[in-house]
């Protein structure tokens, strides 16, 4: 389908024809809420010339009563919401364009530079438009957690996506380390008590080990029931916390195959976690002051810092 | 021969053998193989002293000599290596192990051999019997046969071995230590030209106990002979009896002790991680493979579950299925101490020695980072060990540490060289904005670095100990004099008032000072032993990676 009709100059000879055509097109749109193509309009009013059709469509577009969409087979016209139509009253084309772009970005938001690329408008214009839209409470700016100076814009009533706000661990762009610590300790206590109960049960070793395991789902339920979290935590969040416990060396993980449909299984696998003891006691080197000395590399015989006059050693010896 | 190693060896030599030997030894370590003339020239010590020092070093197996580089006619060269000197640090541990395994007799045998370097069996037995008799009650004495049997047991389990016979050396006279063997002077008929000396184990008779006729009991020395005894100990004991084992000298087999220590480390790690019964099973497996496994093997020979079941100590009567469960649990453990090698005989199991050592070394590194920098840095360290290479952002995400703090910790670890940075450029010009910077931890180089730190630490501790004794030298001398006076007074039967009067000569603050000095020195000593444990783990790990 050619785009010719949309770019034709307005032909003022057919104004009255235009009005009837506009009304007819609007009725057709209401009939087909999913949108109508040029073909449909042509079938309905076969006597209409392409120019007149284009004029009508352009008029409706400029009035903001019609939405222009493109699908695989060509252009689609759809009735616009009355509500959203009223919103845009008083805004000009540029604002509508910017608003469109922001709407398309969904809940991930879009950066002002990207708006500039997409709309080809100069920066000053963009800023003016963004300010006016914000004051009309149509869009809002959300600070991204990845780069704290970067602001992304999205529609006012949308929830920002997790990647922008950082998910459960961030509240107002601040990483909640105490929250993470508390969760860390709670999970560890849960796993440790489970392991102790298993060890005290004095059953055969295989049963002991299996009962000391907890699935990620169990841990998740336990944490939810504890109610220490204001935010809803998903199982993935709990798994990240359990991973930090693995990196602390307090917990180990195995993966077992589970039947689809058992509670907590993801893709036919379940992750099991178990509290473990450390393999060795703190090693000999760190029991001496030299092992922990901050100026270890500067220490020489007969130097300013030497074993003979080491204050750390003196303190340690008198302990 | 790093600088730290040389420093530590120097200190050890000085403590055990004196300053002259230290000078000669240090020079040999630094310069490699040298002949007598160069040694004389460069150290500037008189030829007598140099010869005597070399004798001492050779006697203890620290220095080895071989014919020169230029062929059979050239002067013999002397060579020493740091490893052997660093073993001196571990002598207390060897003696303690012998005590736990073979009682007081074993302890004294090992102690004598370590002190003298090498001795014949007969002289060892006699000396040990005398020492034991000394400590027993009146009227009882130690029989030579008991000591001989302890000696034979030590040889059977390979803790003692024969010294390799030196074809070029002048024959040593039959008596014990102090007779210096004449060093190979230039021009002696040379041994076959080979720069690598044969190891003790290459001789078939290495562990064969000679047939000695030793009948008798230990002699108790009377107290008034004490003074004479000390003097005569330095002079050569000319023993007119011969016992049929002249020329056969025995030395302590350090490698065997090291294998024992390694087994101990693995067993205690299993006990910490799992439970007592699992560690007993691993102990049984290691005991069964003591003699069949070579020291550098990656894992022990496969043992079937049936054999393990039969060899378990009888105090642990666990049922066969339970044993199977324990073995399965050991195999499934992420530390991989035990592996399954086959299904015959109820399942063939091996102990993964190298992997266990690597895990222990890794745990050591992690513990050092944890104690030195805190548990969050330890979390980052373990994270990097697991995930190998990570970007800055990924480290923050996985470790759940706020960005600023994570950056700080990473840079601290980087400055201490515990963590390395790997650059991966996107463009050939390595522009910083277009390069990936990945953090990584390499276990082996980090272990080597920590080992050098351990050497430096031990050297620091020894120096501090010497410094403390030097500071209080006057006080120590005074207290020694007073003790000697007291002892002589007591022996000659003085009255209590005289004794108290003598005791009063040390004032209370001085007593306190002496007491605190004693505490300090004990603390430093025990700290040296603790650091030595770390040294042992790291050394075994590094050696295992070299051979594999």
């Amino acid at each position: 389908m050619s785009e010719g009709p949309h770019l034709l100059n307005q032909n003022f000879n057919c104004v009255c024809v235009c009005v009837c055509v506009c009304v007819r097109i609007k009725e057709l749109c209401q009939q087909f809420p999913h949108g109508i193509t040029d073909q449909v309009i042509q079938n309905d009013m076969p006597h209409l010339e392409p120019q007149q059709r284009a004029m009508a469509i352009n008029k409706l577009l400029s009035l903001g009563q019609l939405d222009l969409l493109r699908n695989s087979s060509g252009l689609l016209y759809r009735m616009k919401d009355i509500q959203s139509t009223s919103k845009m009253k008083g805004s000009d084309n540029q604002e509508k364009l910017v608003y469109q772009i922001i709407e398309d970005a969904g809940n991930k938001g879009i950066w002002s530079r990207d708006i500039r690329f997409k709309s080809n408008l100069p920066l000053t214009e963009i800023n003016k438009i963004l300010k006016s839209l914000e004051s009309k409470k149509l869009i809002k700016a959300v600070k991204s957690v990845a780069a704290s100076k970067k602001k992304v814009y999205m529609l006012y009533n949308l929830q920002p996506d997790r990647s922008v706000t950082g998910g459960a661990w961030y509240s107002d762009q601040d990483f909640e380390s105490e929250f993470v610590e508390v969760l860390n300790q709670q999970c560890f206590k849960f796993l440790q008590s489970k392991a102790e109960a298993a060890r005290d049960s004095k059953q055969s070793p295989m049963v002991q080990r299996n009962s000391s395991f907890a699935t990620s789902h169990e841990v998740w339920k336990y944490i939810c029931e504890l109610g220490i979290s204001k935010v809803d935590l998903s199982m993935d969040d709990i798994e990240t916390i359990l991973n930090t416990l693995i990196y602390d060396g307090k917990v180990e993980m195995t993966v077992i195959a589970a039947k689809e449909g058992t509670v907590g299984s993801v893709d036919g696998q379940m992750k099991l976690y178990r509290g473990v003891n450390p393999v060795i006691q703190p090693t000999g080197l760190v029991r001496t002051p030299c092992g922990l000395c901050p100026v270890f590399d500067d220490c020489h015989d007969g130097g300013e810092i030497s074993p003979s006059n080491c204050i750390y050693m003196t303190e340690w010896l008198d302990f | 021969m790093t600088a730290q190693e040389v420093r530590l060896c120097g200190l050890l030599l000085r403590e055990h053998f004196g300053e002259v030997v230290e000078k000669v030894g240090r020079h040999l370590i630094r310069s490699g193989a040298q002949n007598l003339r160069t040694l004389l020239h460069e150290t500037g010590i008189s030829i007598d002293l140099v010869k005597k020092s070399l004798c001492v070093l050779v006697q203890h197996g620290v220095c080895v000599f071989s014919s020169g580089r230029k062929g059979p006619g050239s002067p013999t060269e002397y060579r020493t290596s740091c490893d052997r000197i660093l073993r001196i640090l571990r002598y207390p541990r060897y003696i303690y192990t012998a005590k736990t395994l073979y009682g007081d007799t074993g302890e004294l045998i090992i102690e004598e051999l370590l002190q003298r370097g090498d001795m014949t069996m007969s002289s060892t037995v006699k000396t040990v019997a005398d020492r034991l008799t000394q400590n027993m009650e009146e009227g009882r004495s130690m029989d030579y046969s008991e000591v001989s049997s302890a000696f034979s047991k030590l040889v059977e389990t390979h803790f003692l071995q024969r010294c390799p016979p030196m074809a070029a050396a002048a024959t040593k006279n039959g008596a014990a230590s102090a007779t210096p063997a004449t060093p190979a002077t230039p021009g002696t008929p040379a041994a076959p030209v080979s720069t690598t000396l044969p190891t003790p184990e290459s001789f078939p008779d290495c562990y064969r106990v000679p047939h000695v006729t030793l009948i008798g009991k230990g002699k108790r020395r009377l107290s008034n002979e004490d003074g004479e005894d000390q003097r005569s100990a330095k002079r050569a004991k000319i023993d007119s009896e011969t016992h049929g084992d002249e020329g056969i000298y025995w030395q302590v087999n350090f490698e065997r002790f090291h294998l024992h220590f390694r087994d101990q480390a693995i067993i205690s790690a299993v006990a910490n991680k799992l439970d007592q019964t699992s560690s007993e099973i691993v102990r049984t497996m290691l005991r069964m493979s003591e003699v069949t496994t070579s020291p550098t093997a990656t894992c022990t020979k496969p043992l079937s579950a049936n054999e393990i079941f039969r060899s378990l100590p009888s105090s642990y009567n666990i049922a066969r299925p339970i044993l199977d469960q324990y073995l399965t649990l050991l195999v499934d453990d992420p530390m991989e101490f035990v592996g399954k090698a086959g299904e015959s005989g109820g399942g063939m199991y091996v102990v993964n020695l190298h992997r266990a050592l690597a895990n222990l070394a890794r745990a050591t590194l992690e513990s050092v980072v944890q104690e030195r920098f805190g548990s969050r840095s330890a979390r980052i360290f373990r994270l990097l060990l697991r995930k190998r290479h990570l970007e800055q952002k990924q480290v923050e995400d996985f470790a759940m540490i706020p960005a600023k703090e994570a950056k700080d910790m990473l840079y601290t670890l980087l400055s201490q060289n515990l963590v390395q940075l790997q650059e991966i450029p996107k463009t050939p010009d390595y522009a910083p904005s277009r390069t990936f910077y990945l953090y990584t931890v390499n276990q082996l180089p980090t272990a080597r670095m920590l080992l050098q730190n351990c050497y430096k630490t031990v050297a620091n501790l020894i120096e501090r100990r010497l410094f403390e004794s030097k500071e209080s030298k006057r006080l120590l001398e005074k207290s020694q004099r007073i003790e000697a006076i007291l002892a002589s007074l007591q022996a000659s039967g003085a009255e209590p008032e005289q004794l108290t009067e003598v005791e009063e000569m040390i004032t209370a603050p001085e007593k306190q000072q002496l007491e605190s000095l004693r505490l300090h020195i004990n603390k430093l000593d025990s700290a040296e032993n603790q650091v030595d444990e770390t040294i042992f783990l790291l050394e075994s790990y590094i050696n295992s990676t070299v051979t594999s």
Side-chain angles (χ1 to χ4, degrees):
Chain A
M1 196 112 203
S2 72
E3 288 175 75
H6 305 286
L7 301 176
L8 283 181
N9 293 326
Q10 301 254 355
N11 193 340
F12 290 102
N13 297 339
C14 317
V15 167
C16 45
V17 175
C18 206
V19 173
C20 309
V21 171
C22 287
V23 171
R24 186 72 196 120
I25 292 179
K26 272 210 281 196
E27 282 170 9
L28 274 173
C29 282
Q30 275 164 347
Q31 241 185 330
F32 298 100
H34 293 296
I36 53 174
T37 62
D38 263 344
Q39 194 67 33
V40 172
I41 303 176
Q42 201 164 356
N43 291 345
D44 190 66
M45 295 178 278
H47 56 87
L48 196 61
E49 283 172 27
Q51 280 177 332
Q52 290 169 322
R53 197 168 63 235
M55 223 164 50
I57 291 173
N58 271 344
K59 184 147 179 262
L60 283 171
L61 279 173
S62 66
L63 281 175
Q65 288 171 343
L66 215 57
D67 234 342
L68 177 63
L69 301 160
R70 176 194 280 272
N71 70 357
S72 47
S73 54
L75 295 161
L76 222 59
Y77 310 106
R78 197 164 61 183
M79 199 71 194
K80 210 187 250 232
D81 274 336
I82 302 296
Q83 245 187 353
S84 57
T85 321
S86 65
K87 263 197 263 172
M88 294 310 278
K89 277 218 166 46
S91 335
D92 57 0
N93 275 340
Q94 284 176 334
E95 286 196 3
K96 273 189 252 178
L97 182 61
V98 170
Y99 184 77
Q100 190 80 31
I101 296 175
I102 294 179
E103 196 178 4
D104 287 338
N107 63 355
K108 281 211 177 5
I110 188 166
W111 195 21
S112 59
R113 197 193 278 184
D114 295 331
I115 300 180
R116 188 152 48 108
F117 283 153
K118 279 209 178 143
S119 65
N120 290 325
L121 293 168
L123 187 59
T124 46
E125 278 292 326
I126 297 272
N127 285 342
K128 218 166 36 144
I129 293 170
L130 286 173
K131 274 211 196 41
S132 72
L133 284 174
E134 260 181 286
S135 61
K136 285 191 213 154
K137 287 204 182 282
L138 292 169
I139 62 172
K140 66 180 174 191
V142 172
K143 258 206 308 178
S144 167
V145 75
S148 56
K149 305 281 169 31
K150 194 166 141 177
K151 284 205 292 207
V152 289
Y153 294 95
M154 61 180 70
L155 291 186
Y156 196 73
N157 46 1
L158 279 182
Q159 274 289 352
D161 186 55
R162 275 174 88 96
S163 64
V164 174
T165 60
W169 313 122
Y170 289 82
S171 69
D172 303 327
Q173 318 308 321
D174 271 329
F175 185 74
E176 292 248 323
S177 15
E178 303 96 34
F179 180 46
V180 170
E181 273 305 306
V182 166
L183 277 178
N184 200 325
Q185 283 170 6
Q186 288 299 327
C187 291
F188 178 55
K189 260 193 245 169
F190 173 68
L191 286 171
Q192 214 181 16
S193 55
K194 201 147 194 250
E196 288 219 10
R199 220 173 303 148
D200 292 333
S201 68
K202 296 270 181 270
Q203 290 164 320
S204 79
M206 203 55 129
V207 176
Q208 248 180 41
R209 188 186 80 138
N210 289 342
S211 59
S212 65
F213 273 122
T215 65
S216 41
H217 185 80
E218 282 175 37
V219 183
W220 176 69
K221 229 172 29 155
Y222 172 74
I223 297 290
C224 286
E225 277 166 24
L226 264 189
I228 44 179
S229 156
K230 308 176 288 278
V231 182
D232 280 332
L233 293 166
S234 73
M235 218 160 81
D236 282 328
D237 292 329
I238 298 293
E239 280 183 11
T240 30
I241 296 279
L242 288 167
N243 280 344
T244 62
L245 277 172
I246 296 179
Y247 304 136
D248 277 336
K250 296 183 183 154
V251 153
E252 67 180 17
M253 175 186 88
T254 39
V255 180
I256 59 166
K259 270 208 311 262
E260 282 290 334
T262 43
V263 150
S265 64
V266 177
D267 300 327
Q269 291 170 339
M270 276 209 302
K271 295 208 178 103
L272 298 171
Y273 295 88
R274 187 167 80 104
V276 290
N277 299 323
V279 172
I280 58 168
Q281 310 296 332
T283 186
L285 176 60
V286 299
R287 296 198 204 151
T288 64
C290 294
L292 313 173
C293 178
V295 289
F296 185 66
D297 294 323
D298 298 328
C299 176
H300 300 288
D301 304 331
E304 278 261 349
I305 305 173
S306 80
S308 330
N309 61 11
C310 176
I311 51 173
Y312 297 119
M313 276 222 201
T314 321
E315 272 181 37
W316 174 67
L317 284 173
D318 290 331
F319 186 63
Chain B
M1 318 293 174
T2 65
Q4 299 304 333
E5 283 179 19
V6 172
R7 177 177 167 224
L8 181 56
C9 290
L11 283 169
L12 287 170
L13 283 175
R14 196 197 309 171
E15 263 207 84
H16 279 80
F17 303 121
E19 293 210 5
V20 180
V21 178
E22 179 205 353
K23 224 168 160 188
V24 172
R26 253 200 144 128
H27 192 76
L28 275 175
I29 298 175
R30 265 205 276 250
S31 339
Q34 288 202 324
N35 55 19
L36 190 56
R37 177 176 286 273
T38 345
L39 206 51
L40 272 175
H41 182 72
E42 290 186 10
T43 53
I45 311 177
S46 73
I47 186 161
D48 283 338
L49 289 177
V50 170
K51 278 193 189 173
K52 285 200 183 131
S53 326
L54 282 174
C55 292
V56 170
L57 290 174
V58 169
Q59 171 75 21
H60 277 82
V62 170
C63 172
V64 293
F65 55 89
S66 59
S67 61
R69 286 166 250 210
K70 301 193 196 119
S74 60
T76 50
E77 293 188 332
Y78 302 90
R79 213 178 315 140
T80 180
S81 76
C82 269
D83 302 334
R84 180 61 188 80
I85 305 180
L86 291 170
R87 299 283 164 266
I88 299 180
L89 197 53
R90 217 165 279 161
Y91 282 179
R93 205 171 168 193
Y94 298 141
I95 299 174
Y96 181 70
T97 312
K99 184 176 182 141
T100 47
L101 290 176
Y102 294 104
D104 285 337
T105 325
E107 175 197 358
L108 285 179
I109 295 177
I110 298 286
E111 199 183 319
E112 283 294 313
L113 278 171
L114 283 174
Q115 258 190 328
R116 313 275 188 198
D118 50 36
M119 287 182 14
T120 58
M121 180 170 170
S122 37
S123 43
T124 322
V125 169
K126 281 196 211 150
T127 331
V128 173
D130 289 342
R131 275 182 76 176
L132 281 170
T133 316
Q134 196 72 18
N135 296 333
M136 292 165 113
E137 310 111 35
E138 289 290 334
R140 291 188 51 195
S141 63
M142 192 67 171
D143 200 32
Y144 282 175
S145 53
E146 274 184 54
V147 183
S148 304
S149 64
F151 196 95
S152 320
K153 266 191 275 180
L154 278 167
V155 173
E156 266 168 31
T157 43
H158 294 203
F159 281 109
L160 296 176
Q161 63 186 179
R162 288 200 201 189
C163 299
M166 292 282 179
T171 46
K172 302 181 191 177
N173 308 359
S177 74
T179 325
T182 49
T185 49
T188 334
V193 180
S194 59
T195 44
T196 56
L197 290 156
T199 62
E201 307 229 320
S202 52
F203 292 96
D205 289 339
C206 182
Y207 297 113
R208 192 166 61 87
V209 182
H211 179 68
V212 282
T213 53
L214 270 176
I215 306 166
K217 291 194 187 330
K219 289 185 261 305
R220 179 186 299 278
R221 269 183 243 108
L222 302 171
S223 45
N224 57 5
E225 289 179 25
D226 254 332
E228 290 173 27
D229 205 32
Q230 282 204 2
R231 275 179 278 122
S232 64
K234 293 234 178 19
R235 223 171 290 142
K237 284 202 191 70
I238 304 169
D239 222 332
S240 46
E241 307 170 39
T242 57
H243 299 278
D245 66 340
E246 273 63 45
I248 304 178
Y249 289 87
W250 297 86
Q251 66 185 14
V252 176
N253 183 2
F254 296 119
E255 283 309 313
R256 179 70 184 86
F257 274 105
H258 292 166
L259 294 180
H260 182 85
F261 295 155
R262 181 196 67 189
D263 294 346
Q264 294 282 83
I266 297 180
I267 293 169
S268 68
V270 174
N272 282 340
K273 183 95 195 295
L274 297 168
D275 61 1
Q276 192 64 24
T277 323
S278 313
S279 77
E280 280 306 316
I281 297 176
V282 176
R283 190 199 300 263
T284 318
M285 288 173 76
L286 285 167
R287 201 166 20 95
M288 287 159 64
S289 358
E290 257 171 10
V291 282
T292 53
T293 318
S294 81
T296 53
T298 319
C299 43
T300 61
K301 292 249 171 355
L303 298 164
S304 75
N306 295 333
E307 287 172 7
I308 301 176
F309 185 59
R310 276 198 293 270
S311 323
L312 272 179
S314 44
S315 50
Y316 279 87
N317 49 353
I318 52 180
R320 182 57 202 278
I322 305 281
L323 172 70
D324 285 335
Q325 284 189 3
Y326 271 112
L327 284 168
T328 324
L329 283 177
L330 276 167
V331 170
D332 282 340
D333 192 69
M335 284 270 156
E336 290 183 355
F337 288 116
V338 173
K340 194 160 188 185
E343 294 294 341
S344 54
M348 304 291 278
Y349 297 93
V350 291
V351 178
N352 294 322
L353 297 165
H354 282 197
R355 212 166 297 171
L357 279 174
N359 281 333
L360 285 171
R362 200 178 80 188
T364 311
L365 295 181
E366 289 169 7
S367 124
V368 170
V369 172
Q370 177 148 354
E371 298 292 326
R372 209 164 156 192
F373 299 109
S375 44
R376 300 222 274 183
S377 301
R379 197 191 283 180
I380 295 183
F381 191 75
R382 283 197 198 96
L383 171 63
L384 285 171
L385 270 173
R386 263 182 183 256
K387 302 259 187 192
R388 306 296 178 86
H389 294 270
L390 283 179
E391 275 187 319
Q392 169 85 38
K393 185 85 177 46
Q394 288 171 309
V395 170
E396 290 162 15
D397 286 337
F398 278 122
M400 308 223 72
I401 298 178
K404 235 196 280 192
E405 293 177 32
K407 215 181 269 201
D408 198 26
M409 287 178 205
L410 268 172
Y411 290 165
T412 319
L413 286 174
L414 194 62
S415 71
Q416 297 291 328
N417 225 356
L418 291 160
V419 156
Q420 281 87 39
L421 206 52
Q422 170 77 39
E423 296 170 356
I424 301 188
K426 295 190 226 183
T427 56
D429 65 347
Y430 277 85
S433 60
R434 289 191 291 274
T435 321
F436 289 114
Y437 289 99
L438 300 176
Y439 291 96
T440 183
V441 176
N442 294 321
Q443 198 170 329
L444 187 54
T446 316
R448 281 187 210 265
M449 188 189 76
L450 268 182
L451 186 59
Q452 297 304 317
N453 284 357
C454 287
Y455 289 142
K456 185 172 178 182
T457 308
V458 178
N460 285 350
L461 289 169
I462 295 180
E463 278 211 25
R464 180 64 185 233
R465 182 158 50 90
L466 294 174
F467 173 74
E468 295 257 325
S469 338
K470 206 167 63 151
E471 286 282 288
S472 328
K473 203 159 104 153
R474 194 194 67 85
L475 198 54
L476 278 171
E477 280 174 3
K478 182 173 172 187
S479 79
Q480 272 178 343
R481 263 183 292 130
I482 297 201
E483 273 176 32
I485 299 176
L486 268 176
S488 63
L489 277 181
Q490 264 179 343
S492 57
E495 291 118 32
E497 294 98 39
Q498 276 185 309
L499 290 173
T500 42
E501 201 185 298
V502 171
E503 274 174 17
E504 294 288 305
M505 283 165 60
I506 307 186
T507 62
E510 283 182 344
K511 273 211 189 90
Q512 221 175 0
Q513 215 180 335
L514 275 173
E515 186 59 31
S516 76
L517 176 68
R518 195 176 60 84
L519 277 175
H520 287 187
I521 294 197
N522 282 346
K523 210 171 202 180
L524 287 163
D525 252 336
S526 54
E528 284 172 39
N529 290 336
Q530 284 171 341
V531 182
D532 182 60
E533 285 176 21
T534 314
I535 290 181
F536 173 69
L537 269 179
L538 291 173
E539 264 182 7
S540 319
Y541 165 61
I542 293 174
N543 289 340
S544 75
T545 53
V546 165
T547 51
S548 63

